[in-house]
Amino acid sequence: MLNTTTTAAQAEEALQRLRDYGWEPESSELHASLAAFEVAPAVSVTFANSLSRASVRDNLCGYSYAGATAAGAVTPLAPGALASMFSTGNGVPPSSGVQLINNKGKFGAARDFLSVSVNSGVADWNTPGALCLRNLVTGNDGSARALQAGIDETRRNGNLQGKPAIIVHGRADALLPVNHTTRPYVALNRRVEGAASKLSYVEVTNAQHFDSFIGLPAVLPGYDTRYIPLHVYLNRALDAMYDHLANGKALPPSQVVRTVPRGGNPGQAPAIQPANLPLIAGTPAAADRIEVSAGAIRVPD
């Protein structure tokens, strides 16, 4: 899959491939921490099962969910964790003691990232499972067709039927990259609705997918110094929409909001200040204005 041979070169090659596939350079610093939290495999397995309408008995691509020991061995969940899961879990492992399990490990079922693959004989983050998930998207067997049919059912046509809307997205989002989600949707909407579109897009710099990670400086130092909470701009967008609906005020034009990271030492960022969080502009500067035409979008760097 990679052409280089040394670990350092493979890391750079893999990172470049992510960029080539559409991840923004601003996401690069996030991939390591998201990998440590098993974000890509956990989200992929969860959505693959949902979109395929797979049964828990199917163990799609050899994955399942279970409790696990620190060494990765499968173990029953503690009764207390199971009882409180409705309020502490989010449905995507690792969460509330539930872990992602590789049922096809060389030494039996084990926590996915600690399991040993049968073919390679090494702990390679369950490469066979990842390739199986990829085949669900690109293949044509029964499991692949089931997933692809489910994906087709979720596709949007971009027609908001003239309804006012504001989309807020962090440019550094490494889970849902802006080039895979919001940017093409905004362009599609303009192609479908044309001048009747009432969609505004606010792209926020130094913002990513998991605001809660910013509040874990002891666990994830560096999030606090690099990233601002995107939720602030959700609230501001809601205020702008209320003002539009209640008072007839125009929605803010599509724009890039250029925030200012707090800086400082990782894990010890100074308190956030208003200067770190500039307002969504009613009249954005030319260098910040996002231009949208039928099927195309230009977002300033």
Side-chain angles (χ1 to χ4, degrees):
M1 290 181 284
L2 297 175
N3 298 318
T4 49
T5 55
T6 67
T7 300
Q10 288 176 337
E12 289 301 320
E13 183 182 355
L15 185 59
Q16 186 57 52
R17 289 199 182 191
L18 286 171
R19 292 171 180 162
D20 293 343
Y21 275 113
W23 272 263
E24 286 291 295
E26 288 86 347
S27 299
S28 296
E29 294 176 330
L30 291 164
H31 295 308
S33 57
L34 296 193
F37 277 88
E38 305 168 76
V39 170
V43 171
S44 298
V45 170
T46 302
F47 276 78
N49 276 276
S50 297
L51 292 168
S52 301
R53 293 186 171 90
S55 165
V56 67
R57 295 184 179 89
D58 292 335
N59 294 150
L60 193 64
C61 287
Y63 289 99
S64 63
Y65 298 167
T69 67
V74 173
T75 188
L77 280 174
L82 189 61
S84 63
M85 190 179 299
F86 76 96
S87 62
T88 61
N90 64 6
V92 181
S95 176
S96 302
V98 176
Q99 308 295 345
L100 184 64
I101 303 298
N102 173 13
N103 290 346
K104 296 183 176 181
K106 184 174 182 178
F107 304 110
R111 186 171 176 181
D112 187 59
F113 84 98
L114 294 173
S115 65
V116 174
S117 294
V118 173
N119 293 338
S120 66
V122 298
D124 59 3
W125 285 73
N126 190 9
T127 297
L131 292 174
C132 177
L133 290 171
R134 175 64 176 169
N135 182 69
L136 295 179
V137 178
T138 62
N140 57 13
D141 59 23
S143 295
R145 290 195 299 272
L147 174 73
Q148 292 159 21
I151 291 175
D152 285 342
E153 290 181 49
T154 69
R155 295 190 190 278
R156 304 295 87 192
N157 60 20
N159 188 356
L160 291 172
Q161 302 178 44
K163 297 181 181 69
I166 304 173
I167 298 177
V168 177
H169 202 160
R171 178 176 288 182
D173 194 327
L175 177 61
L176 299 174
V178 290
N179 286 326
H180 295 179
T181 51
T182 302
R183 289 179 177 180
Y185 181 83
V186 172
L188 173 64
N189 168 262
R190 183 60 60 89
R191 186 175 70 185
V192 172
E193 292 198 278
S197 172
K198 296 180 181 178
L199 172 62
S200 292
Y201 172 37
V202 178
E203 186 167 297
V204 183
T205 65
N206 307 303
Q208 44 83 47
H209 195 87
F210 297 99
D211 272 2
S212 61
F213 288 2
I214 301 172
L216 300 172
V219 179
L220 293 168
Y223 273 76
D224 58 337
T225 57
R226 290 181 174 91
Y227 303 111
I228 58 89
L230 186 62
H231 201 90
V232 171
Y233 290 95
L234 165 64
N235 290 337
R236 290 177 178 175
L238 289 171
D239 288 342
M241 181 59 70
Y242 179 85
D243 212 7
H244 172 71
L245 296 175
N247 304 314
K249 185 176 180 179
L251 292 177
S254 295
Q255 61 190 273
V256 174
V257 176
R258 303 187 187 279
T259 65
V260 180
R262 286 186 284 166
N265 295 320
Q268 299 177 329
I272 199 163
Q273 302 294 330
N276 299 113
L277 303 166
L279 298 175
I280 300 172
T283 306
D288 299 331
R289 186 180 289 268
I290 295 174
E291 298 177 0
V292 186
S293 58
I297 184 170
R298 189 193 71 81
V299 181
D301 289 334

